[in-house]
Amino acid sequence: MTQAGAPTKRDVMLALLEQSSVYVHLDPRRAGVVVPPQFKRQPQLVLQVGLNLAVAIRDLDVGEEAVGCTLSFNRSPFYCVMPWTSIFGLVGADDQRGRIWPDDVPAEIAAQVQTAARRDSQPKERTRLRAVKSSDEEGDDEAETESAAPPRASERPSLTIAPPPPPEPAKAVPTLVEPAAAEPAPVPAAVPAPAAAPVPAPLPAPAVTEHDEGDEPTPPDAEPSPPGRGKRPIPSYLRVVK
């Protein structure tokens, strides 16, 4: 269902064809769709349509009711008919601009999009790391624990108090003789600095004539060239589709 004032699917198709080729997203199971039989049972089919493709489409018809053209499947031509009621997305191949019509999206495709959105919105659990001791380190810890335990009373060694050692005789301290202070070296006389060379006066800057490039006068006999034709500006209703 098209809202009042919104561009139709045909308008979007024509606008995208002026910029590049178009990826047509359609439900091949809808009534009136004509595509190769092997694609009729899947919920989504994407076909590329354009005016300047490697394999030229010479009979492209963007009509009021459907899009019709001959496409190549495994180098075999097949005339396809894609009614607008079966098309739910049109996306430009160059800049990914286009439109999606949610009311026409197949239920299977909408469910996949919602599942992917819920999966992306769930926070990811962080993996917690903890140190794990090896068997050798556990054995060392037990050995340290056992060695740190206090000995029993029966196992404690007896203490024997020894008499203090006799005092040592005093030794003579040698006298230090300070050396004579060295005389300071004579300071050489200051050498006069050389006279500074005269600095030449700067040269005057050359005069520059200001001018604007491209404003040269046109000869009276020359005629203005007609403006070149380029691509039409991208309509504002086309946006990037991801």
Side-chain angles (χ1 to χ4, degrees):
M1 181 176 180
T2 305
Q3 300 178 357
T8 63
K9 296 178 182 179
R10 186 172 185 269
D11 295 336
V12 175
M13 182 75 170
L14 293 175
L16 290 175
L17 284 174
E18 292 183 358
Q19 305 296 327
S20 63
S21 60
V22 184
Y23 290 117
V24 181
H25 297 253
L26 71 146
D27 185 352
R29 303 169 299 180
R30 297 286 182 92
V33 177
V34 179
V35 293
Q38 63 267 28
F39 303 121
K40 287 289 293 182
R41 295 184 179 181
Q42 59 192 43
Q44 178 180 210
L45 178 63
V46 182
L47 300 177
Q48 186 177 9
V49 177
L51 301 175
N52 298 315
L53 296 178
V55 180
I57 303 176
R58 305 184 184 280
D59 57 351
L60 177 60
D61 180 22
V62 183
E64 296 290 343
E65 301 295 333
V67 177
C69 60
T70 300
L71 301 178
S72 178
F73 298 89
N74 294 328
R75 297 186 179 182
S76 299
F78 190 95
Y79 187 80
C80 300
V81 178
M82 297 165 279
W84 295 117
T85 54
S86 67
I87 296 175
F88 60 88
L90 295 171
V91 182
D94 289 348
D95 53 7
Q96 301 299 312
R97 290 181 179 273
R99 285 182 70 90
I100 298 294
W101 288 266
D103 295 340
D104 297 332
V105 175
E108 297 89 342
I109 304 303
Q112 293 177 5
V113 173
Q114 294 177 359
T115 302
R118 286 195 300 266
R119 183 173 60 251
D120 295 341
S121 61
Q122 293 178 356
K124 298 181 180 179
E125 297 182 358
R126 297 182 178 179
T127 305
R128 297 182 179 181
L129 302 178
R130 62 184 184 88
V132 179
K133 296 182 179 181
S134 60
S135 58
D136 296 339
E137 293 179 351
E138 292 178 355
D140 296 342
D141 293 345
E142 294 178 358
E144 292 178 358
T145 304
E146 293 177 357
S147 61
R152 299 179 181 178
S154 59
E155 298 177 356
R156 295 179 181 175
S158 58
L159 300 179
T160 303
I161 300 176
E168 297 180 356
K171 298 180 180 180
V173 179
T175 305
L176 299 179
V177 179
E178 297 181 357
E183 297 181 359
V187 180
V191 179
V199 179
L203 299 177
V208 179
T209 303
E210 297 182 358
H211 66 281
D212 295 330
E213 297 181 359
D215 290 342
E216 298 179 0
T218 305
D221 297 337
E223 296 181 359
S225 58
R229 296 183 59 187
K231 294 183 179 179
R232 291 176 56 187
I234 299 176
S236 58
Y237 54 75
L238 295 181
R239 60 181 181 273
V240 177
V241 178
K242 296 182 180 181

